[in-house]
Amino acid sequence: MTEVIRSDGIEIKKKVIQQILLRGSGDSKFNNLINKSLKLLPPSDNLRIISNDNYTLAKMSFDQWNLIFEKEIENNKLNKILADLNKSPLILATNISDSQVFFEIQGKNSFDILNKLTHFDFREKSFKKSTGAQTLLARVDCSIFNLDLKLLLSCNRSFADYLEDRLIDAVNY
Amino acid sequence: MKSINLKENQFIQFHQKISFKFDGVKYFGYKGDTIASAILRNNVNLVGRSFKYHRPRGIYTCGIEEPNALVQIISEYSEPNTRATIKKIYEGMEIESQNRWPSLENDFGSINNLFSPIFTAGFYYKTFMGPHKKFWKNLYEPLIRRAAGLGKPPKDFKGISNHIHHNVDVTIIGGGLNGLLAAKSFINSNYDVLLIDFEEQLGGIINNSNKISLIDNKEPKDWLKETIQEIEDSKNIKILKNTLVTTYNYINHLIAIEDRFVGSKPIEGKVNSTLHKIRTGHTILCNGHIERFLSFQNNDLPGIMLSSSFEKYMCRYGLAPSKEPVIFSNNSNSNSLVYSLIKAGLKPKAYIDSRSGEEIEPNLFDLIRKNDVPLYTNSQIKGAFGNKKIEKILVEDSSGALNEIKCDCLCLSGGINPDVHLFTQSKGLLDWDEKDLTYKPSKPFQPTITLGSASGQFNFDNLNSDINEKLKTFKVKKLDVKLELNTNAKYNIEKLWEVSPQKKSLWAKSFIDLQNDVTTKDIRQAITEGFDRIEHLKRYTTNSMGTDQGKISSINALGIVSDLLDKKVNEVGTTIYRPPYAPLSFSAIAGRNCYEFYDPERKSPIHNWHLKNGAIFEDVGQWKRPWYFQINKDESMHDAVQRESKNVRENAGILDGSTLGKIEIKGEDALEFMNLIYTNSFTKMKQGSARYALMLGEDGMVKDDGIICKISDQHFIATTTTGGAATVLGCMEEYAQTEWPNLKVFMNSITEQYATFNISGPKTREIMKKAFPNINFSNEEFPFMTFQFHEFNGVPIRILRASFTGELGYEIYIPSNSAPKIWDNIQSVGKEFGLAPYGTEAMHLLRAEKGYIIVGQDTDGSITPIDLGLSWMIGKSKKDFLGKRSLTRSDTIREDRKQLVGIIPSNKTDKLEEGQHIILDKEIKSPVPMLGHITSCYYSPTLGHDFALAVIKNGHSMIGTKAYASTSSMGTTGVDIVKPVFYDEGNKRLVS
């Protein structure tokens, strides 16, 4: 984890977080398979996030879930989970740990500063805790996960340098 | 015009003197002054020159509606067309007047005034027609362009601005009395409220006039202070000051610009302005009204200004622009100016009203009589006269007699209009009010509420009930505010748009649009010439155009037109008010999206290595890809590309192909899905093998290509072109979800998960063996178009034997985070074999030698696989695939379609160029029958001459014939049409 910028009311850190992208129909068979493997029932509401001690699971669209490992696990364990999930043809589980970069954002001014880069409505009434969102930040596709006390913002790794510069710029200007 | 400073003013800090320069002369103002108030304080009358006739102009208003006083701020990146009436001064500010030469006082352009009788409406359209059409391009247009505009565009672009987005439930535009009352209703409610005001101080009419004497039995300024404090303390209300809402978009999306350095010089490197983009649930427009002027002869002379503006200078800036102004009005709005003047110990030199004595309010009468102010009722001003400033006026009184009054200032009031610009931008409808002689908001199109004078309520009688009624949809507190007024009059107006001059003259001008120098005569002429539709008339005369958009005059123009056409004003209609309400600078619109942030950049995992090793990048979509690698600064691109491609042919080269799209496809029906998406058949394809595949659009044209790796019948990995990655994935998703929802299949992008290295060349196998010693790269174990999964130092990798250069080649797919290490390792072990990196240009050259196409370069959305000679890639036995039906249409099977061929110059020393037309005749005779064009062209170090790929009509049957390529100098080059494969036609090197 590296610190991107720390300023009045905001602190941004960059980190690589292991992540698996799950695709499936979301029916009971799918839910059972996921539950069996992760001991976590996939959320059924769009953009809802649920967590246990090991994983955070966010439903990002009607047939897509992001499995996020906030605590890093060994690669062979991750590969085992991946292989386990992929045993069934009903699930496509893809390791995307290397394809995205996360920014952890904390502080009372976080939303004001992010609103320099996105039209997204961060108000409590619109963007509740334990929900996620997919939107544009500085014209880049991003996912935002509203967790307790912090935001996790992810983008494709190819955009990471650009987005990091834009976040710093947003804090400074 | 001699101004005087008034004793007390809460907004001007008389103890803080500020020096500034106007046209090189040093003046002093006070902290809080605008340029206009400071200039008036210094008794400067002449501020600018008019657009067309270069007539002398002064300060006409005290706000955003100003048509005349536009200046260039030299000390702020030479910002042009700044309204002097809103821009605050600061120490050291440098200002210049505009549209004059050599000086404001003696402007050469004022000669135009002499020729003004010929510069009438439609002058440009009528004059610049002949004698020859070349005159327009070579003479008229350059001259007009040079003369056009007011200020000079700044040479440097240094302004910094940023953008901020807001999401709120309610936006209140205007922080005047009604805006504050509306905001007060929302205090501590459940609504997120944004209160926006253009001024630094909230209060509007309370600050700008003496109309109100008490609010809730308190002095207005005390009530204001308390109310603002309450609003500021409320957690749900945010206030944006110095912010002008310029645009009201669909759906309730507002754009507002905030000046971040009001009254101080912008600091270099700091944000000067912020563009607020607001998405709101409801918009409450409390943006007040605008006073109109009146048209009479020379109504543009410096020293003439609007009545309410004069009063605003008194109340807001502690300045009376003149000790004895004459007031000319046709309505009751100027009553409070009389009150303010007398309250300040001054008095009007005369009060002239077009209304009869019976219509004039009794308390105004009392005030005027008590203070011995000469009163002219049923009277009109026939003209104003003076040299570069008003010196006298000619008044026609009720008896028809003419009276000359000497004066240095004339205050006008032609009535007031609700400021409907934002309301009409929101597509709200207006209705003409025959009593108040103005358009008023009628039916909103969006969730828009208008309050106060913005809604056409020019009196305060229904203040509480109007607000309470209109805000009843919200759960907010009801208001009960008590107002007492100084000028207790109901708004009353008599129709008067224009006063005809005493003497008719070709040079007499009665202006209807001050900024564009449009006269009432121009309006008459336009109507005579048939431009009787208001939108046509606007464009023909330029009335209501320019930076002020005719804010003080457009209604008058409608009134004059309605009289001329003998129609009611609502039958004439109104022009459309388009955004922005006031001009925005380009830097504000750009925000931070300029220079380094103009477009997002994508970088491959190996980007930093490329930077350190002399890569020159090209933009491929948003990706930065190494175009070629310079081994020293003197090496040209041509030399670098020739060196790199030669090295691949002789030794080995490595390309960073990480940008290629990669898609993982999995599911019970993955095989069927792939068979439907691509032209190829994958049914008999072995697991672990790979295949070059084509994707078509529904029109049968080539859309993308790539290599498909079959892991099993239920699991595939596809590559796509760099630019096509998102499109192909989107296309797959669309067809899976909409056309074939019965198929159980899912797909994920893995483009960024894996870096891709393409290693090519005769020595590649040796390098691979050394880099990955545990893998058997023999032809038998690892044949062409197969792939294998391996683990290298704990990193899972996939190696595909394929080539885009025509040489023995491998593609290595490595998780991105581990890629730089493995790249370094390959570089290190490859050194002894002459391995060198190559860029996209060498890759293009090498693939073209081999006859491999690039989708988007050799195809253009009108090329089928058959046109490319790739019929063998079509799974003919397949029941269906995307685009299959279109391949049998009469158009796609005709023989004379453009088809891919190779081109070489008949004389090998001749050069070819991409885009050259291929023609049959040596001589170019118009019209030239064109066969097709060159799509790719390079100099081949292997062949020793130029070669090209081209698409030409009936190309396949023309192979072996001769043709010509047109040159840019209208000449031709003889060429041979050949097969589109120039290198290793038998594929021996590929499978070696």
Side-chain angles (χ1 to χ4, degrees), chain B residues 212-268:
Chain B
I212 301 168
S213 58
L214 291 171
I215 308 176
D216 284 342
N217 298 318
K218 290 173 194 162
E219 281 290 317
K221 65 178 184 185
D222 295 334
W223 179 89
L224 190 60
K225 203 175 165 187
E226 278 174 29
T227 307
I228 292 170
Q229 193 60 52
E230 282 175 46
I231 295 168
E232 281 175 345
D233 291 345
S234 176
K235 282 180 185 170
N236 62 319
I237 303 177
K238 189 175 177 182
I239 303 173
L240 291 178
K241 293 179 190 171
N242 301 313
T243 305
L244 176 73
V245 178
T246 64
T247 309
Y248 192 152
N249 292 321
Y250 191 74
I251 302 167
N252 261 0
H253 183 253
L254 306 165
I255 307 277
I257 180 84
E258 179 187 359
D259 187 348
R260 302 280 291 269
F261 283 91
V262 174
S264 58
K265 187 177 181 177
I267 298 168
E268 194 112 352

Side-chain angles (χ1 to χ4, degrees), chain B residues 132-167:
Chain B
H132 189 274
K133 62 182 178 185
K134 280 188 179 169
F135 273 65
W136 172 253
K137 192 180 173 188
N138 299 324
L139 181 66
Y140 301 146
E141 190 184 345
L143 276 176
I144 292 168
R145 280 196 184 280
R146 201 174 301 165
L150 288 164
K152 293 174 195 149
K155 285 181 183 157
D156 294 325
F157 176 75
K158 287 182 184 167
I160 294 178
S161 73
N162 66 358
H163 290 182
I164 296 179
H165 299 261
H166 303 263
N167 290 278

Side-chain angles (χ1 to χ4, degrees), chain B residues 624-823:
Chain B
K624 293 281 170 199
R625 294 198 72 180
W627 200 5
Y628 58 94
F629 291 84
Q630 242 181 355
I631 50 172
N632 60 57
K633 283 187 178 172
D634 297 329
E635 191 180 35
S636 68
M637 177 181 172
H638 174 80
D639 291 346
V641 171
Q642 294 292 304
R643 172 181 53 75
E644 287 172 9
S645 57
K646 208 170 167 199
N647 188 57
V648 172
R649 294 278 181 241
E650 291 173 0
N651 299 308
I654 182 163
L655 173 94
D656 178 10
S658 304
T659 62
L660 282 180
K662 299 154 212 116
I663 301 167
E664 185 175 12
I665 303 115
K666 190 181 164 229
E668 286 175 357
D669 301 316
L671 176 63
E672 193 179 342
F673 178 76
M674 294 300 279
N675 277 334
L676 283 166
I677 283 282
Y678 288 95
T679 59
N680 315 56
S681 173
F682 303 100
T683 309
K684 291 179 184 168
M685 193 174 159
K686 286 181 186 163
Q687 292 184 4
S689 66
R691 184 164 285 177
Y692 175 58
L694 281 181
M695 177 190 259
L696 309 183
E698 288 183 358
D699 55 3
M701 305 302 155
V702 174
K703 195 170 180 179
D704 205 76
D705 65 354
I707 292 178
I708 311 299
C709 292
K710 184 175 179 179
I711 298 167
S712 72
D713 280 350
Q714 296 180 336
H715 199 177
F716 292 82
I717 292 174
T719 61
T720 73
T721 55
T722 296
T727 314
V728 172
L729 181 63
C731 177
M732 286 182 174
E733 286 284 4
E734 184 186 344
Y735 279 87
Q737 289 176 30
T738 62
E739 299 297 322
W740 313 310
N742 54 314
L743 298 185
K744 288 173 184 154
V745 64
F746 297 100
M747 57 242 43
N748 279 335
S749 168
I750 49 170
T751 300
E752 307 239 12
Q753 174 67 13
Y754 297 102
T756 308
F757 309 153
N758 304 57
I759 307 179
S760 279
K763 296 181 182 171
T764 301
R765 185 173 282 121
E766 304 310 313
I767 296 166
M768 292 296 281
K769 274 186 198 169
K770 211 160 179 189
F772 305 101
N774 296 332
I775 303 173
N776 186 341
F777 288 99
S778 69
N779 244 340
E780 296 71 32
E781 288 298 316
F782 210 145
F784 183 56
M785 293 308 272
T786 60
F787 67 93
Q788 296 177 8
F789 289 101
H790 291 280
E791 201 174 284
F792 177 74
N793 292 342
V795 179
I797 61 170
R798 179 168 60 95
I799 302 177
L800 164 67
R801 187 173 162 194
S803 169
F804 195 45
T805 61
E807 299 292 342
L808 167 69
Y810 297 89
E811 290 181 1
I812 313 163
Y813 295 85
I814 304 150
S816 294
N817 293 338
S818 309
K821 218 173 181 180
I822 296 180
W823 175 273

Side-chain angles (χ1 to χ4, degrees), chain A residues 27-41:
Chain A
D27 60 10
S28 57
K29 275 187 195 168
F30 172 85
N31 288 345
N32 288 339
L33 285 165
I34 299 289
N35 193 26
K36 196 176 157 192
S37 186
L38 305 176
K39 307 286 177 274
L40 201 63
L41 206 56

Side-chain angles (χ1 to χ4, degrees), chain B residues 166-192:
Chain B
H166 303 263
N167 290 278
V168 291
D169 300 313
V170 177
T171 302
I172 302 168
I173 300 171
L177 177 64
N178 279 275
L180 289 172
L181 290 172
K184 201 174 175 182
S185 308
F186 283 97
I187 285 175
N188 294 327
S189 65
N190 289 326
Y191 302 94
D192 294 319

Side-chain angles (χ1 to χ4, degrees), chain A residues 16 21-25 62-64 75 79 85-100 112 115-123 125 138-140 156-162 165-166 169 172-173, chain B residues 160 162-169 190-192 238 269-271 592-593 596-603 605 608 622-623 664-668 714-715 733 737 744 746-750 752-754 796 815-818:
Chain A
V16 174
L21 183 58
L22 295 167
R23 302 293 301 273
S25 66
F62 71 100
D63 65 352
Q64 182 182 319
N75 269 337
N79 289 336
L85 290 165
N86 269 326
K87 269 181 198 162
S88 165
L90 299 177
I91 297 173
L92 167 58
T94 305
N95 183 0
I96 56 164
S97 308
D98 291 47
S99 74
Q100 296 211 308
D112 288 343
N115 266 141
K116 290 181 182 178
L117 302 174
T118 177
H119 63 280
F120 187 75
D121 187 354
F122 288 107
R123 286 179 298 161
K125 61 175 92 169
R139 292 176 285 150
V140 171
N156 279 349
R157 65 169 294 133
S158 61
F159 287 115
D161 285 357
Y162 165 81
D165 287 346
R166 289 299 308 257
D169 189 74
N172 291 333
Y173 293 94
Chain B
I160 294 178
N162 66 358
H163 290 182
I164 296 179
H165 299 261
H166 303 263
N167 290 278
V168 291
D169 300 313
N190 289 326
Y191 302 94
D192 294 319
K238 189 175 177 182
K270 293 270 180 189
V271 172
R592 306 297 298 144
N593 300 319
E596 71 268 34
F597 297 137
Y598 187 72
D599 201 27
E601 281 180 0
R602 303 181 75 176
K603 294 175 186 170
N608 289 340
Q622 290 171 323
W623 286 101
E664 185 175 12
I665 303 115
K666 190 181 164 229
E668 286 175 357
Q714 296 180 336
H715 199 177
E733 286 284 4
Q737 289 176 30
K744 288 173 184 154
F746 297 100
M747 57 242 43
N748 279 335
S749 168
I750 49 170
E752 307 239 12
Q753 174 67 13
Y754 297 102
S816 294
N817 293 338
S818 309

